[in-house]
Amino acid sequence: MVSPFPGMNPYLENSDLWPEVHSCLIVAISDAISPQVLLKYRVAIEKRVYQLNKESLSVVSAPNKPINIINVNIPIAEEVMEGYLEVREVGTGEVITVIELLSPKNKLSKEGRIAYENKRQKILGSATHLVEIDLLRSGKPMPISGKEIPSSYRILVSRSNYRPKAELYPFELQEAIPQFPLPLRAGDNEPLVDLQLLINQIYDRAGFYVAIDYTSDPAPKLSKTDTAWAGNLLQQQGLR
């Protein structure tokens, strides 16, 4: 089954689906680029683990009593595990490129954002290239210097030898996801990553189309313009 959207499918951003989308896409990117960079490089799937503190407070009135009973939850650490890719040079094991696919916890959670931004700064201060893929409309985009560039989605390609300059690929819901080059060592052929193709493939293989209710609006909500456009698109394809 083909995704009904020409670019990013906003229904895949749903918090119930995104962890699976994230895992599938990380593997799909690895499978796509590995044959193109072997035997000089190997693409390794790595996992980052960090703790998030969760707590809540609620007040419950106690009838016929002079005081309120307060039900509280003590902070409990939630272990979060996120996958990312490292392109390593065969022989030396040196990490040449890191590929990050952002998650809601990177953009919305205080602890998660701090943890990711700290790692991001370490990469940007090293000789390692960074590819940062943001397919989530919610949350504040990762910082770039200078004038802010608004976009629903974006891909950042930061080559270590060109910093602080980097290549930004901003795009909107109604646009196809742009292809981008995978930065490697100088002089090596850089394969193009067709993220649009990979998104469409995992949408079909993982059966996301049977988990999505296209008669309802996606979460997070779209702008008025995109809501009208998406509604017409889904009606034309018989999904509404």
Side-chain angles (χ1 to χ4, degrees):
M1 180 70 69
V2 178
S3 171
F5 291 89
M8 178 58 186
N9 186 322
Y11 289 84
L12 296 179
E13 299 175 60
N14 188 290
S15 58
D16 292 334
L17 287 179
W18 183 255
E20 187 180 355
V21 174
H22 189 282
S23 297
C24 289
L25 192 51
I26 284 289
V27 174
I29 295 172
S30 175
D31 289 345
I33 64 179
S34 287
Q36 301 183 69
V37 299
L38 286 171
L39 298 167
K40 186 171 184 179
Y41 302 99
R42 188 177 75 85
V43 182
I45 299 177
E46 294 293 332
K47 291 185 178 180
R48 171 174 53 251
V49 180
Y50 54 88
Q51 305 289 329
L52 296 182
N53 287 327
K54 299 179 67 177
E55 58 182 326
S56 63
L57 172 66
S58 58
V59 179
V60 179
S61 297
N64 304 322
K65 290 187 179 181
I67 61 173
N68 288 332
I69 298 173
I70 302 176
N71 293 334
V72 300
N73 293 334
I74 60 174
I76 299 177
E78 175 194 7
E79 186 174 87
V80 176
M81 184 176 297
E82 294 176 340
Y84 62 96
L85 298 175
E86 289 185 348
V87 180
R88 301 174 183 168
E89 188 175 46
V90 173
T92 66
E94 182 180 352
V95 178
I96 305 302
T97 308
V98 171
I99 304 174
E100 290 278 1
L101 176 61
L102 297 187
S103 71
K105 288 185 171 62
N106 298 146
K107 298 181 69 179
L108 297 172
S109 163
K110 180 180 178 181
E111 296 96 334
R113 188 175 182 100
I114 290 173
Y116 176 72
E117 285 191 345
N118 287 340
K119 180 193 175 182
R120 186 181 195 252
Q121 282 304 116
K122 289 181 180 178
I123 296 173
L124 295 178
S126 72
T128 301
H129 307 306
L130 172 66
V131 174
E132 186 177 78
I133 302 169
D134 186 355
L135 299 178
L136 299 169
R137 288 170 290 117
S138 60
K140 186 178 180 181
M142 289 299 148
I144 58 175
S145 298
K147 183 180 178 181
E148 185 174 335
I149 301 175
S151 65
S152 296
Y153 311 104
R154 56 183 57 200
I155 298 168
L156 179 75
V157 178
S158 173
R159 302 170 186 273
S160 62
N161 49 322
Y162 286 118
R163 291 184 186 127
K165 295 184 181 299
E167 302 160 8
L168 183 68
Y169 299 76
F171 56 102
E172 301 296 335
L173 175 66
Q174 301 182 33
E175 300 176 299
I177 302 174
Q179 297 182 16
F180 62 89
L182 177 69
L184 298 171
R185 285 203 183 278
D188 287 343
N189 291 327
E190 298 184 348
L192 281 177
V193 181
D194 191 343
L195 202 59
Q196 184 67 70
L197 175 63
L198 301 181
I199 284 281
N200 290 340
Q201 287 176 344
I202 68 168
Y203 176 84
D204 180 50
R205 286 202 305 262
F208 287 120
Y209 53 90
V210 300
I212 293 174
D213 178 12
Y214 284 116
T215 63
S216 62
D217 293 330
K221 292 182 178 180
L222 300 171
S223 67
K224 288 184 179 181
T225 300
D226 283 342
T227 296
W229 173 82
N232 290 331
L233 182 71
L234 294 172
Q235 284 179 353
Q236 291 171 9
Q237 301 184 52
L239 296 173
R240 279 195 179 180

